[in-house]
Amino acid sequence: MAAPRRRCAAGFTLVEVLVALALMAVLAGLAWRGIGGVAGARQASEQRVEQTLRLGTVIAQWEQDLQAVQDSALVPALTFDGATLRLVRRRPEGLQVVAWSLRGGNWLRWNGPVAAESRGLQDAWMASQQLLGNEPGQQVLLEGVEAWQVYFYRGNAWSNAQSSADLAPAPGVGASGPAAPVRALLPSGVRLVLTLQPAREGGMSGVLTRDVMMPPAWP
């Protein structure tokens, strides 16, 4: 009588197992890289949207300040010295001095107290010329600003804001002739040029130009 044949044991060899594990490791690595790329792209997109919204809010504040400029004849209504733009804006309670400046890559805005009397307005104007960047009312509105420049629209042309302004007799003064008091006329428009430098990967960069029409020169 013939002896029964042995059946071979079912299973995988060690080589097959190692090959399968290697393939699974490669697929897992590719999947992880794909997930990481999607997460990184989503984070960069959210960061860009947040920066765009913040920039829009800051520019809106800039425009509101300029469009509320009030010429009081007590202090200059609008000046730019290459580092700081100072202006006097009207508020329901009186007048307020506002200063925009650039320090260490940060675009800052300082607003003084609202003044209802000439002395308070003059004191606030003097304080705006001595800012160090850490005063009460000083806010960092935008980071990653490399440089900025301001131009005024005068005489149907844009010119450097630090150039000589058009002059006119100061209202409310009875003197006349060459020695009569004069003050600078407000420009018809203000052009802002911001050079943005990303502070970290994915940040905004480039040059932003914004023109703002000014209110009438005289209240």
Side-chain angles (χ1 to χ4, degrees), residues 22-37:
L23 290 175
M24 292 177 63
V26 171
L27 293 175
L30 293 176
W32 182 257
R33 290 181 59 184
I35 294 174

Side-chain angles (χ1 to χ4, degrees), residues 112-175:
V114 178
E117 299 179 356
S118 59
R119 180 60 183 273
L121 181 63
Q122 292 169 347
D123 289 345
W125 182 263
M126 292 297 296
S128 72
Q129 300 181 17
Q130 303 172 6
L131 298 176
L132 300 177
N134 56 357
E135 293 81 6
Q138 191 90 252
Q139 293 180 309
V140 178
L141 295 187
L142 194 63
E143 300 176 349
V145 180
E146 183 177 343
W148 74 319
Q149 185 56 265
V150 176
Y151 300 90
F152 288 165
Y153 193 79
R154 300 188 183 108
N156 297 324
W158 291 103
S159 61
N160 193 306
Q162 297 174 262
S163 61
S164 300
D166 297 329
L167 302 177
V173 178

Side-chain angles (χ1 to χ4, degrees), residues 56-119:
T57 302
V58 174
I59 294 300
Q61 180 64 67
W62 168 264
E63 293 180 350
Q64 289 176 10
D65 284 349
L66 289 173
Q67 292 173 351
V69 166
Q70 180 74 42
D71 197 343
S72 67
L74 298 172
V75 297
L78 177 66
T79 63
F80 181 66
D81 60 11
T84 303
L85 181 136
R86 299 176 180 86
L87 60 89
V88 177
R89 62 168 296 171
R90 58 183 176 272
R91 299 292 299 271
E93 306 86 355
L95 298 178
Q96 183 180 44
V97 177
V98 176
W100 291 76
S101 61
L102 179 63
R103 293 178 182 270
N106 296 326
W107 203 25
L108 308 175
R109 179 182 182 272
W110 174 85
N111 56 272
V114 178
E117 299 179 356
S118 59
R119 180 60 183 273

